[in-house]
Amino acid sequence: MRILVVGGGGREHALCWALRRENPDADLYCAPGNPGTAALATNLPIAADDLDRIADAADMYGIALTIVGPEVPLARGLADRLRAEGKPVFGPSAAAARIESSKAFSKDVMRAAGVPTAASGTFTDLAQALAFVDRQAEPLVVKASGLAAGKGAVVCETRKEAARVARGMLEGSALGDAGREVVIEAFLEGEELSVLGITDGRDVVLLPASQDHKRLGEGDTGPNTGGMGAYAPVSIATPALLERVSRDVLGPTLEEMERRGARFAGVLYAGLMIGPDGAPSVVEFNCRLGDPETQVVLPLTDGGLTDCFERVATGRPPSPLAMPPARFAVTTVLASRGYPDAPEKGAAITIPDMPAGVIVFHAGTRLDEAGVLRAGGGRVLNVTGVAATFDEARARSGAGAAAIEFDGKIFRNDIGWREAARR
Ligand code: AMP
């Protein structure tokens, strides 16, 4: 079997790791991949959003299954392109990917489907946005509607700040085209939870629920980032809660997408806020696996992913995954000093041998001409600890993160603190 993974971050390294484990003899390719995926797959020097060259590569290498990691190529129509050429691809069409690439669209789908989410308004006109802000309670959240690589949502303590952020986005300077339309919504109290479902647009196979840590600093302080660490499973995600999420969130959303002629096949990622009363509300939908959630969720599976992806890619319902009981995973992100605004680049990285139960996933690394592994900026590595208890998984992740060395390494030592506090 010839499989192509599109993307080059920690998520795609984790995908290659899981696919290789299930398919020791497969020809595995990754475009563009990274030094981590190079140990598991053949890296192809093609940018993930270079649709023409990805389609050519799928031809040239006789790829039987393409799995698309990031949102940008999906939003640009990579899955449509491959499907039109008769090539099986796991990932939604551009029309379905709008559930992530347009927050305005996503809010509209939720409203029509009766899915619980924060009250909001959508604006392209600054005067109307400012008038709306004036009528809202504080705090509130201002979001660029378009794709902004995790930088598009700003939690604002005051109306004054919200007005300033909305102005920055709508006047075009802050986030370019992504911010020419904004969603302004009520702040939701509670605890965040990521629920990822593999779906053909009707049936859903849930992956274990996970929790990301968006803020840069320990104790959830500082600016939002792409995510500083994650763990899975999460004890608040009881079977009853997941049942409720399937019934009240995923099911109605998929039905509404199909009704709009944009049936969603791929991973539907519901970013939820679980309120103090235990009720889930949707903070955002993503159209793909999360990063760093993938780096904890895939190590919890024991097989069945390739089949499941392949079935959905060929228009069939997803099949169940093998999920051993009593396995926990925690991942710690190592980033470069200056992240997320201006990360330093180029530091040489030393990764010592890791004990069993620790997996190092590469995110932003590169090999220089001399073969030295260097930080490429931003999120550099993920250290995933896997164990039979949460505490042990957490200890393994933390110890691995501490043992890796590079100048300017930053990481949070408190990943999973909410779960630890519950124990
Ligand atoms: P988004 O890009 O919509 O996922 O937002 C990024 C992050 O901002 C979320 O993961 C939350 O931490 C935070 N956030 C977004 N919307 C809200 C909201 N309505 N209430 C509270 N926090 C939010």
Side-chain angles (χ1 to χ4, degrees), residues 209-213 228-234 292-300 327-333 357-361 382-401 412-420 423:
S210 55
Q211 189 168 75
D212 189 4
H213 298 61
M228 294 301 291
Y231 67 93
V234 182
E293 288 93 333
T294 306
Q295 292 88 308
V296 287
V297 162
L298 297 191
L300 297 186
R327 195 188 286 175
F328 296 81
V330 177
T331 198
T332 302
V333 170
V358 178
I359 317 167
V360 178
F361 293 121
N382 314 127
V383 186
T384 299
V386 185
T389 65
F390 168 78
D391 290 334
E392 182 57 27
R394 189 176 194 223
R396 286 180 181 173
S397 174
R412 280 181 61 168
N413 223 339
D414 68 341
I415 302 304
W417 67 272
R418 287 174 185 275
E419 190 73 15
R423 276 155 200 270

Side-chain angles (χ1 to χ4, degrees), residues 103 118 141 143 153 185-188 192 214 224 273 283-284:
K103 288 194 194 287
V141 186
K143 300 181 177 184
E185 69 180 24
F187 179 81
L188 297 167
E192 286 187 71
K214 290 271 180 220
N224 265 340
M273 192 69 81
V283 172
E284 64 165 342

Side-chain angles (χ1 to χ4, degrees), residues 73-96:
L74 292 168
R76 292 196 187 158
L78 177 57
D80 308 79
R81 169 78 181 266
L82 294 176
R83 226 167 263 133
E85 296 175 9
K87 302 186 176 88
V89 52
F90 181 78
S93 65

Side-chain angles (χ1 to χ4, degrees), residues 103 107 117-119 140-144 150-155 185-190 192 212 214-215 224-225 269 271-273 282-286:
K103 288 194 194 287
K107 278 290 194 183
T117 186
L140 58 174
V141 186
V142 180
K143 300 181 177 184
K151 301 193 180 90
V154 187
V155 176
E185 69 180 24
F187 179 81
L188 297 167
E189 298 284 353
E192 286 187 71
D212 189 4
K214 290 271 180 220
R215 301 295 196 99
N224 265 340
T225 67
Y269 167 137
L272 303 170
M273 192 69 81
V282 175
V283 172
E284 64 165 342
F285 280 120
N286 290 328

